[in-house]
């Protein structure tokens, strides 16, 4: 196998090959040593949190996580073979850099903890893979020659400028030191990336020009001297372009500004390359022309509320990042060399003053920059580091800053004098969405839209008597700056001191150290904690409604009868479902089971205590029973009276002694009695066969009394043909032929003969 301290590019390994297992020697970096494994491309989490989509994402992400974990566990030579020769791995990594959710992008991570954990795992594995790819020496035994490493990462496109920019955006927060070492090693080992960066910056500047062109604004720095076309005035402006196009434009600007800021913040060595392209002046000019136009479009146009808030948040975020980009460029190209005492200090001072002078014509940009990074503090540092600074020039600059504040209609929250530089310095991370509002920036008849980092404002009065607003972030910054110096003081006491001295941290610290606090503050406990804010009761607890506490009150009930809730018109049950529903039988079962309890014998057992079982309420002796008349036979010796015997059975005349008329009347009376008795009987449902038999018997009895003889049964079928028929059969057939008109023929033959006799039917 591998020998010790041999670089991977010079290493050869011997391994079995083929079905017979013959050994062969190959370079350590060879395509045949790559493992056959297909890496899936990354898909972002679902935004709506649909269970089916969430399950699909988790299953898909689980495969990616397992593959990346397997890749990181490979040894040094196998890892580089897989990285260099496996195209599916590069597609997987590129898809994550392209589709992974950024800071302001909506994502479905909050909908499910499982999705957040899976996304966190993939995020960590991808970063570890890129970190290992950017390391040419893992240990004394596992390393690659620097020159060969530079060729591998550059010629195989393992890293390029777009990938590095995306890495800074995704992993810069929280991993800035590791990411800086990683990018620094890439640029150090392969200086060609500086040339690629130098060619990329014009494309970034072109992005700003495209945004201005889409907004119908002609850039002054494009250098295009061609005459305008006749249809040039037909370009859409931010107020007239479609809603989707404006949203894409704002997203484009926000993504570009965030990416540049993350890259420069992570790798400050690139600031000099940006300076060579006059990027700072192009940025300030773009800020001055595009930002007010986009803000006006978002404020004045009628958008969906959620879309409008998202666009306003992105514009505010872009403004802040553009100001911070300008500060990073000035700090690393001008201020830092001055503070370090470089040899060409005069040139750096002159360069800084020229940049500030160029900002004077960009009033809005200068005011926003001065609010976040006070220019007076930078000039104060220049005066300390370079005593020969021209006071007239610095005074001109400070007056220009003041005029920029007045031109945009803004008021300072803190005075701009050098005496309050520390107080201004403590205001890091000021929210531009709150502080950079124009007088006409309030939406008509709507709630004011604020930026992504907007917080609660606290009104206070400054040293100049002007009422200003102090955000919660600024207040926390003041508290932390004072507690760093005086950790024994409580937050409640510090808040009282800040309120007393106009939120001037320097004055508060000075008075506490010199023991010059006002009498009202001396009486307070210095360890006093911050007062707890009384939270307002929730709306649900204070609401009053006629439907409170009913069966559908979801705010007070954990469970509802969902069988009584349906969407749309309720579908009726089918006939089969109705017939198969035996619920009514189950409801009546307990009722009829009580009638099944039949006790024929009652077992009586003696308890060990000597008492008998009294389960059925039977006792051997009841002292309350009256047995006075038990021996008397009541009514046994009484004689039946004559009336009682006659009432029991009415007298009837024998049938032999009856006359004809009397017998008929008696029979009719009996029939009436039978009918009355039949009517009086309470038969809910009688058998039809029984009723037919009774009716037939009554009909036969009546016919026999009247002397009616029913005709004998006729037989017209007879015997087989050719054997002759009996006389009875012949007579029956004649009788049937003669009486056909009384049956089912409905006198058809008689009527036909009648019509024929009258000449109606030709014969």
């Amino acid at each position: 196998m591998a020998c010790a301290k041999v670089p991977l590019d010079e290493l050869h390994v011997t391994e079995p090959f083929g079905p017979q297992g013959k050994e062969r020697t190959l370079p350590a970096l060879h395509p045949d040593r790559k493992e056959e494994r297909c890496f899936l491309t990354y898909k972002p989490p679902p935004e709506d949190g649909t269970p089916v989509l969430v399950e699909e994402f988790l299953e898909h992400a689980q495969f990616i996580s397992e593959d990346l974990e397997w890749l990181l566990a490979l040894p040094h030579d196998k890892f580089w073979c897989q990285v260099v020769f496996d195209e599916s791995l590069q597609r997987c990594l590129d898809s994550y850099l392209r589709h992974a959710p950024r800071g302001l992008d909506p994502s479905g991570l909050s909908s499910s903890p499982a999705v957040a954990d899976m996304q966190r795992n993939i995020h960590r594995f991808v970063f570890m893979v890129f970190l290992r790819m950017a390391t040419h020496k893992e240990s004394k035994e596992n390393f690659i020659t620097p020159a060969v490493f530079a060729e591998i990462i550059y010629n195989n496109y393992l890293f390029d400028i777009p990938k590095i920019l995306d890495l800074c955006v995704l992993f810069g927060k929280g991993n800035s030191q590791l990411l800086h070492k990683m990018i620094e090693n890439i640029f150090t080992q392969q200086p060609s990336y500086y040339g690629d960066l130098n060619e990329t910056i014009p494309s970034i500047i072109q992005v700003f020009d495209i945004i201005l062109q889409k907004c119908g604004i002609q850039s002054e720095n494009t250098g295009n001297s061609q005459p305008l076309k006749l249809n040039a005035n037909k370009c859409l402006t931010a107020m007239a372009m479609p809603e989707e196009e404006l949203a894409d434009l704002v997203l484009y600007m926000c993504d570009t500004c965030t990416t540049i800021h993350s890259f420069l913040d992570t790798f400050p060595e690139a600031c000099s390359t940006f300076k060579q392209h006059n990027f700072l002046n192009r940025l300030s000019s773009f800020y001055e022309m595009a930002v007010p136009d986009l803000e006006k479009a978002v404020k004045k146009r009628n958008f969906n509320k959620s879309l409008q808030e998202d666009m306003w948040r992105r514009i505010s975020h872009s403004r802040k990042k553009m100001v911070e980009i300008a500060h990073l460029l000035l700090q690393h190209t001008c201020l830092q060399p001055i503070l370090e005492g470089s040899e060409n200090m005069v040139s750096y001072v002159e360069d800084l003053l020229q940049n500030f002078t160029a900002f004077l014509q960009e009033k809005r940009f200068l005011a926003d920059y001065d609010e976040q990074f006070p220019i007076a503090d930078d000039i104060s540092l220049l005066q300390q580091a370079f005593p020969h600074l021209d006071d007239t020039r610095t005074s001109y600059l400070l007056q220009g800053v003041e005029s920029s504040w007045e031109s945009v209609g803004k008021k300072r929250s803190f005075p701009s004098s050098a005496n309050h530089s520390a107080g201004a310095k403590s205001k890091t991370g000021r929210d531009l969405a709150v502080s950079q509002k124009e007088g006409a920036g309030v939406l008509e008849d709507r709630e004011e839209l604020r930026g992504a980092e907007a917080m609660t404002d606290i009104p206070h009065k400054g040293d100049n008597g002007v009422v200003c607003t102090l955000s919660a972030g600024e207040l926390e910054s003041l508290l932390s700056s004072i507690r760093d110096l005086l950790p024994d003081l409580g937050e409640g006491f510090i808040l009282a001191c800040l309120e007393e001295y106009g939120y001037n941290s320097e004055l508060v610290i000075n008075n506490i150290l010199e023991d010059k606090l006002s009498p009202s503050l001396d009486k307070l406990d210095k360890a006093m904690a911050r007062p707890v804010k009384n939270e307002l009761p929730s709306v649900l607890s204070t609401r009053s409604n006629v439907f409170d506490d009913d069966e559908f009150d979801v705010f007070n009930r954990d469970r509802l009868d969902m069988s009584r809730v349906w969407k749309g018109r309720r579908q009726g049950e089918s006939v089969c479902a109705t017939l198969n529903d035996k619920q009514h039988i189950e409801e009546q079962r307990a009722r009829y089971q009580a009638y099944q309890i039949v006790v024929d014998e009652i077992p009586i057992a003696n308890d060990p205590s000597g008492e008998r079982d009294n389960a059925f309420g039977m006792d051997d002796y009841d002292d309350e029973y009256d047995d006075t008349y038990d021996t008397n036979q009541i009514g046994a010796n009484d004689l039946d009276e004559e009336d009682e015997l006659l009432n029991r059975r009415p007298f009837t005349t024998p049938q032999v002694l009856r006359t004809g008329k009397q017998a008929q009347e008696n029979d009719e009376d009996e029939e009436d009695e039978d009918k009355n008795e039949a009517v009086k009987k309470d038969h809910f449902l009688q058998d039809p066969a029984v009723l037919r038999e009774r009716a037939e018997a009554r009909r036969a009895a009546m016919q026999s009394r009247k002397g009616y003889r029913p005709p004998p049964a006729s037989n017209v079928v007879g015997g087989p043909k050719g054997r002759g028929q009996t006389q009875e059969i012949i007579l029956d057939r004649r009788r049937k032929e003669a009486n056909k008109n009384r049956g089912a023929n409905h006198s058809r033959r008689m009527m036909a003969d009648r019509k024929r006799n009258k000449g109606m039917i030709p014969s």
Side-chain angles (χ1 to χ4, degrees):
M1 291 297 292
C3 298
K5 298 183 180 181
V6 177
L8 183 63
D9 51 285
E10 300 177 2
L11 182 65
H12 288 74
V13 295
T14 302
E15 58 185 11
F17 173 73
Q20 298 180 357
K22 294 182 179 180
E23 293 185 351
R24 65 172 179 174
T25 302
L26 295 174
L29 286 177
H30 195 274
D32 292 343
R33 301 194 67 218
K34 175 179 70 72
E35 298 289 341
E36 294 298 331
R37 199 177 187 96
C38 181
F39 290 82
L40 301 179
T41 57
Y42 172 81
K43 295 180 181 179
E47 297 180 6
D48 53 356
T50 307
V52 177
L53 298 179
V54 168
E55 184 178 358
E56 181 183 0
F57 168 79
L58 292 176
E59 183 179 3
H60 188 84
Q62 182 66 28
F63 290 129
I64 298 177
S65 178
E66 292 176 355
D67 290 341
L68 294 179
E69 188 176 6
W70 169 84
L71 177 67
L72 291 171
L74 292 176
H76 185 252
D77 55 341
K78 288 285 188 178
F79 173 81
W80 278 101
C81 287
Q82 206 73 26
V83 166
V84 174
F85 302 113
D86 193 347
E87 296 181 358
S88 64
L89 171 61
Q90 297 303 322
R91 287 195 297 268
C92 174
L93 298 176
D94 292 346
S95 64
Y96 184 81
L97 295 181
R98 187 180 301 111
H99 299 296
R102 269 62 172 173
L104 295 179
D105 293 342
S107 62
L109 300 181
S110 59
S111 61
S112 173
V115 174
D117 293 340
M118 184 59 67
Q119 176 66 23
R120 196 178 300 110
N121 291 335
I122 296 179
H123 190 78
R124 178 177 176 273
F125 287 143
V126 170
F127 179 67
M128 295 300 294
V129 169
F130 277 108
L131 189 62
R132 191 175 182 185
M133 288 167 53
T135 305
H136 69 283
K137 185 177 181 180
E138 294 185 1
S139 63
K140 293 182 179 180
E141 292 79 14
N142 300 322
F143 64 95
I144 306 176
T145 305
V148 178
F149 170 77
E151 293 179 1
I152 290 175
I153 63 174
Y154 192 79
N155 295 334
N156 293 282
Y157 297 96
L158 301 184
F159 290 98
D160 52 27
I161 299 301
K163 284 185 180 180
I164 294 174
L165 295 177
D166 288 333
L167 286 172
C168 293
V169 174
L170 292 174
F171 306 104
K173 187 176 181 180
N175 304 291
S176 58
Q177 295 181 356
L178 281 176
L179 196 59
H180 177 265
K181 291 181 179 180
M182 167 181 160
I183 299 175
E184 185 181 18
N185 187 55
I186 293 173
F187 277 84
T188 302
Q189 302 300 332
Q190 182 55 273
S192 300
Y193 283 110
Y194 280 106
D196 294 347
L197 178 62
N198 193 36
E199 296 177 0
T200 305
I201 295 176
S203 301
I204 298 175
I205 296 176
Q206 189 179 3
V207 171
F208 294 151
D209 296 336
I210 292 174
I211 295 175
L212 292 175
Q213 184 181 0
K214 292 289 185 180
C215 295
I217 302 173
Q218 182 67 25
S219 176
E220 299 176 358
N221 299 320
T222 55
N224 187 7
S225 59
Q226 296 180 0
L228 294 175
K229 297 181 181 180
L230 294 177
N231 58 353
N233 55 354
K234 296 182 181 180
C235 296
L236 294 177
T237 62
M239 292 293 296
M241 69 174 58
E243 178 179 335
E244 295 181 357
E245 187 174 351
L246 179 60
D248 292 340
L249 207 63
V250 172
L251 178 62
Y252 195 23
M253 180 183 68
C254 179
D255 185 64
T256 303
C257 296
T258 305
T259 303
I260 298 172
H261 174 265
S262 300
F263 176 65
L264 294 179
D265 190 28
T266 305
F267 188 60
E269 290 83 352
C271 292
S272 58
T273 308
F274 277 82
K275 181 185 176 182
Q276 296 174 4
H277 292 268
N278 198 19
F279 186 80
L280 189 59
N281 292 334
R282 301 295 296 272
L283 180 66
S284 61
S285 176
F286 170 78
Y287 187 99
E288 191 72 19
M289 290 187 292
V291 169
D293 198 37
L294 293 175
E295 281 187 344
K296 181 180 177 182
V298 173
K299 291 177 183 178
K300 300 299 182 182
R301 294 181 61 176
N302 294 324
F303 293 114
N304 185 14
K305 186 176 180 181
S306 60
L307 176 62
Q308 191 173 28
E309 291 178 355
D310 181 69
M311 292 172 63
W312 182 262
R313 183 167 59 252
R314 291 183 182 275
I315 291 177
S316 302
H317 185 75
S318 303
R319 292 173 57 185
K320 181 178 180 181
K321 294 305 175 184
M322 282 189 277
V323 171
E324 292 178 354
I325 290 170
H327 179 69
L328 286 173
L329 292 174
L330 290 177
Q331 180 181 0
H332 293 287
T333 59
C334 300
L335 286 174
Q336 190 170 350
I338 293 172
L339 296 177
E340 292 176 354
S342 301
E343 296 179 358
N344 299 327
M345 185 181 296
V346 178
S347 61
Y348 290 120
V349 171
E350 183 65 23
D351 191 11
L352 180 62
L353 294 177
Q354 285 182 1
N355 286 320
F356 284 154
T357 305
F359 290 165
L360 292 179
Q361 59 182 350
E362 318 293 352
K363 301 292 185 181
R364 187 182 183 88
F365 176 79
L366 181 59
D368 292 344
Y369 180 90
D370 182 67
E371 183 176 12
Q372 193 167 357
F373 306 101
I375 295 178
D377 298 343
D378 296 337
I379 293 178
S380 177
L381 291 175
L382 288 179
Q383 290 175 347
Q384 296 176 13
F386 191 72
H388 303 289
L389 193 63
D390 188 3
D391 294 338
T392 305
R393 192 173 183 181
T394 57
S395 300
Y396 172 74
L397 287 176
L398 293 177
Q399 290 178 2
V401 173
E402 294 293 336
S403 64
S404 66
W405 279 77
E406 295 175 359
S407 62
V408 298
K410 296 171 62 176
K411 294 182 180 181
R412 290 181 178 275
S413 299
F414 289 89
S416 61
S417 61
N419 296 331
H420 299 86
S421 60
K425 274 290 183 181
S426 64
K427 300 184 301 175
T428 58
R430 301 273 324 257
D431 180 21
L432 291 177
V434 179
S435 59
Q436 298 176 352
K437 290 181 182 175
E438 297 179 341
V442 180
L443 294 174
E444 298 178 359
D445 300 331
R446 294 188 186 182
E447 183 179 358
E448 184 177 1
L449 295 175
R450 309 186 60 153
E453 301 172 0
M455 303 181 72
T456 307
D457 294 338
I458 300 176
H460 72 282
K461 186 175 291 186
D463 295 344
N464 53 2
V466 180
V467 176
C468 307
T469 57
L470 185 69
S471 67
E474 296 170 350
L475 183 61
E476 293 295 333
S477 178
L478 293 176
L479 282 173
S480 61
S481 63
I482 297 175
R483 292 207 66 185
D484 290 342
L485 295 175
L486 304 170
D488 297 335
L489 300 180
E491 292 186 359
F493 179 75
I494 298 176
L495 284 175
C497 294
L498 287 173
E499 186 177 357
E500 179 70 21
Y501 295 108
Y503 293 89
N504 190 337
S505 59
E506 281 189 348
L507 190 58
V508 170
I509 294 173
N510 185 47
N511 290 336
I512 292 175
L513 293 177
E514 295 181 1
D515 199 11
K516 294 182 179 180
L517 294 175
S518 60
S520 59
L521 296 176
D522 284 334
K523 299 178 181 179
L524 298 178
D525 183 11
K526 292 189 177 182
M528 181 176 61
R530 179 185 291 191
V532 180
K533 293 183 179 180
N534 295 327
E535 297 183 359
L536 297 176
S538 62
V539 179
L540 294 178
S541 61
T542 58
R543 73 182 187 121
S544 180
N545 195 292
V546 294
F547 301 107
D548 286 345
D549 299 325
D550 63 358
E551 57 180 335
F552 299 110
D553 190 0
V554 296
F555 300 109
N556 295 324
R557 291 179 179 269
D558 296 333
R559 295 183 179 179
L560 299 179
D561 185 7
M562 299 307 296
S563 62
R564 302 194 58 193
V565 180
W566 61 86
K567 183 178 180 181
R569 187 174 181 179
R570 187 176 186 180
Q571 299 294 334
E573 296 182 355
S574 61
V575 178
C576 295
T578 304
L579 295 177
N580 294 332
D581 186 10
K582 307 300 181 183
Q583 185 178 1
H584 61 286
I585 298 177
E586 297 296 333
E587 293 175 355
Q588 299 293 333
R589 186 182 300 278
R591 178 179 178 182
Y592 286 99
Q593 281 180 351
Y595 296 99
Q596 297 178 0
I597 302 175
V598 179
V599 181
D600 296 332
E601 296 181 358
I602 303 174
I604 300 176
N606 292 331
D607 294 339
S609 60
E611 297 180 0
R612 293 186 176 181
D613 188 6
N614 195 19
F616 292 91
M618 298 183 63
D619 294 329
D620 292 342
Y621 176 73
D622 186 4
D623 190 50
E624 300 297 331
Y625 179 70
D626 188 5
D627 55 355
T628 304
Y629 301 99
D630 284 353
T631 57
N632 296 336
Q633 297 181 0
I634 301 175
N637 299 325
D638 294 344
L639 297 176
D640 295 333
E641 297 180 357
E642 184 178 2
D643 296 337
E644 293 180 358
L645 296 175
L646 293 176
N647 290 334
R648 292 179 182 175
R649 183 178 180 181
F651 175 76
T652 55
T653 305
Q655 189 173 4
V656 180
L657 302 177
R658 296 178 187 175
T659 60
K661 185 176 181 181
Q662 185 180 4
Q664 185 177 0
E665 291 178 356
N666 291 336
D667 292 338
E668 291 178 357
D669 293 340
E670 291 178 358
E671 291 179 2
D672 293 339
E673 290 177 1
D674 293 339
K675 290 181 180 180
N676 293 334
E677 290 179 0
V679 172
K680 290 179 182 179
K681 291 181 180 179
D682 187 12
H683 292 292
F684 177 72
L685 182 62
Q686 295 184 2
D687 189 2
V690 176
L691 294 178
R692 286 193 295 269
E693 292 178 358
R694 291 178 181 176
E696 186 66 25
R698 288 195 299 271
R699 189 181 303 109
M702 184 176 294
Q703 290 176 355
S704 63
R705 285 197 299 268
K706 293 181 179 180
Y708 173 77
R709 289 183 60 189
S714 62
N715 184 8
V716 297
V717 178
K721 252 185 179 184
R723 297 183 181 181
Q725 304 294 338
T726 60
Q727 190 66 25
E728 289 81 3
I729 293 175
I730 295 173
L731 292 176
D732 289 340
R733 288 179 178 178
R734 289 178 181 176
R735 190 181 302 107
K736 176 181 178 182
E737 185 71 19
N739 295 325
K740 275 186 177 181
N741 57 349
R742 294 177 61 254
N745 289 322
H746 300 289
S747 303
R748 283 185 292 180
R749 174 170 293 186
M750 183 181 65
M751 297 302 296
D753 294 341
R754 182 179 178 186
K755 290 179 181 179
R756 188 178 295 108
N757 294 334
K758 290 184 178 182
M760 298 176 65
I761 300 176
S763 56

